[in-house]
Amino acid sequence: YYARTDEGSELGNIAGFFFANFAWVDNECNYQVADLFAVDIDLDTKRFVKAKLDDLSLNAKETMILLFFNTMAAQYVKLHAMANWGINVDESLANVNPFFRQSSVVTIMYNYFGYTSFNGFLKTWAKEGLVSPGRLKANKPLVQAFNHGIKNNVWQH
């Protein structure tokens, strides 16, 4: 959801972007859900104004980290899930449009392995020091965030 200030507002030309029921993984690698993540941007200067995660004020760096996390963990996985709506693997396509059928099969496999295998990369990445070993928790906090994003529909659009 987004909103903007009225023309001539004393606050300026500000747009507010609001993410309800916002899933994230904290610094201790725990899955969390905030009631509201709100970000204000000055539309004239294209600059960050302020942001809050529930009652916690955030700086620009923290805000960008959470926005990127949301893109990767909630929006990106939904985009792949929606790609499955446009596939057709029916055998009749093998002669009519083999490229479309092949692309459909590749999409299904890519989405399946991306969802089921991505968490497995974390073990190697943790071993190499690229991510915290806490990301390997048995409750799979990143997968929980993925699932939260998938179940949260596409209301942002």
Side-chain angles (χ1 to χ4, degrees):
Y1 173 75
Y2 69 93
R4 73 182 281 188
T5 55
D6 291 330
E7 191 171 326
S9 168
E10 63 184 44
L11 297 173
N13 190 15
I14 307 296
F17 298 88
F18 307 97
F19 303 84
N21 199 23
F22 184 85
W24 56 294
V25 178
D26 67 19
N27 289 339
E28 285 76 42
C29 301
N30 295 311
Y31 167 72
Q32 304 283 340
V33 178
D35 291 329
L36 183 66
F37 176 40
V39 181
D40 286 358
I41 303 294
D42 186 310
L43 296 174
D44 295 328
T45 64
K46 312 293 189 264
R47 291 183 176 255
F48 170 84
V49 176
K50 67 179 179 177
K52 287 187 115 179
L53 185 66
D54 288 337
D55 294 327
L56 178 66
S57 292
L58 304 172
N59 62 35
K61 181 179 177 181
E62 294 164 331
T63 301
M64 282 304 299
I65 290 168
L66 287 174
L67 287 171
F68 179 77
F69 182 82
N70 178 261
T71 299
M72 184 268 309
Q75 306 307 320
Y76 185 73
V77 292
K78 280 190 273 196
L79 180 66
H80 279 282
M82 286 187 273
N84 286 337
W85 296 348
I87 62 169
N88 187 343
V89 295
D90 192 86
E91 278 296 322
S92 65
L93 279 176
N95 295 324
V96 178
N97 192 339
F99 180 73
F100 180 66
R101 184 174 187 282
Q102 177 185 359
S103 296
S104 294
V105 171
V106 168
T107 297
I108 292 168
M109 296 304 295
Y110 180 81
N111 291 342
Y112 171 77
F113 285 117
Y115 178 81
T116 60
S117 301
F118 185 80
N119 200 62
F121 297 142
L122 295 175
K123 185 175 184 180
T124 301
W125 293 344
K127 187 175 159 183
E128 297 296 325
L130 298 173
V131 297
S132 166
R135 303 272 178 206
L136 303 174
K137 289 183 176 181
N139 64 354
K140 299 181 180 177
L142 186 58
V143 173
Q144 288 180 294
F146 287 169
N147 290 340
H148 184 92
I150 292 168
K151 292 176 185 174
N152 240 357
N153 211 334
V154 289
W155 63 270
Q156 293 92 335
H157 295 84

